[in-house]
Amino acid sequence: MPEFIEVGFDPDFVGYQEGYDLQLKVHADVVAEKRPNTVLLLEHSSVYTAGKRTDASELPNDGSEFVETNRGGKITWHGPGQLVGYPIMHLPQPIDVVNYVRWMEQVLIDTIAHFGVRGERVIGRTGVWVDVAGEYEKVAAIGIRVSEKVTMHGFALNCNNSLDPYEHIIACGISDARTTTLSKLTGGNISPRDTASLIKQILGEIPNVRI
């Protein structure tokens, strides 16, 4: 099974640069096979991050700062109440990035099913979606990078975070769909710690080998 590192949760939020620096260190160790496949789990302090395909029209409309990243995808938000996971793992040969993303989506779908939420894929759109009164709302985003055959970046699962930050960007470049949280969907209070324990349980069933 992969190794899990719980980097920081409320109130010990992790700055984006701090989390990225840790990713780089762990990534180098996994590439060199000095450590096993590793999954970092955490809550970031509030930050917008822009993937390589972000258009200027999608950036914050209120003047908020954002961080440019080397992951795929477009702009999104990370912050308190959202579980961020960075799986740093060897990929099998030949590398199939789409299959890896679909695998990650399934892990998230299986996770939210424990709370009675039915996650789905939407054709042409990455991430995990929920049908709310006939309209799809996004509950989890995915953006990755593969370097030296090992993954970086990962997923963001909305648990009990505010949705206000999404009002100032075109999240993931999608203008015709809204974002939601597990707490909003269930009427409860589901924290990142709650979902982290399930993520560890589901990913823990995977042997510590190249997936």
Side-chain angles (χ1 to χ4, degrees), residues 37-189:
N37 290 336
T38 301
V39 182
L40 308 179
L41 297 170
L42 55 103
E43 280 180 82
H44 275 306
S45 47
S46 186
V47 61
Y48 289 113
T49 68
K52 294 182 292 184
R53 298 191 299 109
T54 302
D55 295 327
S57 62
E58 299 160 350
L59 295 174
N61 60 15
D62 61 350
S64 295
E65 295 184 356
F66 60 93
V67 177
E68 294 185 21
T69 77
N70 60 2
R71 62 166 170 77
K74 298 198 173 195
I75 193 163
T76 192
W77 172 85
H78 298 312
Q82 180 190 73
L83 175 67
V84 171
Y86 295 132
I88 302 173
M89 311 176 75
H90 290 277
L91 288 183
Q93 304 300 309
I95 290 177
D96 186 339
V97 174
V98 173
N99 185 58
Y100 173 69
V101 171
R102 297 294 169 262
W103 169 80
M104 190 178 297
E105 288 170 343
Q106 191 60 52
V107 169
L108 294 167
I109 289 170
D110 292 345
T111 298
I112 68 177
H114 284 263
F115 300 101
V117 176
R118 184 174 183 270
E120 300 181 46
R121 296 181 178 89
V122 172
I123 295 175
R125 294 183 170 181
T126 301
V128 177
W129 300 78
V130 179
D131 186 337
V132 179
E135 295 187 1
Y136 281 104
E137 298 185 358
K138 195 170 191 177
V139 71
I142 294 174
I144 69 164
R145 173 180 171 81
V146 179
S147 175
E148 299 185 77
K149 305 174 184 177
V150 173
T151 61
M152 287 185 63
H153 301 287
F155 65 85
L157 176 60
N158 291 338
C159 298
N160 58 1
N161 52 283
S162 169
L163 293 174
D164 290 345
Y166 292 102
E167 298 298 322
H168 302 291
I169 59 172
I170 300 179
C172 303
I174 299 172
S175 60
D176 61 348
R178 300 184 64 81
T179 305
T180 190
T181 70
L182 287 177
S183 293
K184 183 178 179 181
L185 290 166
T186 63
N189 183 22

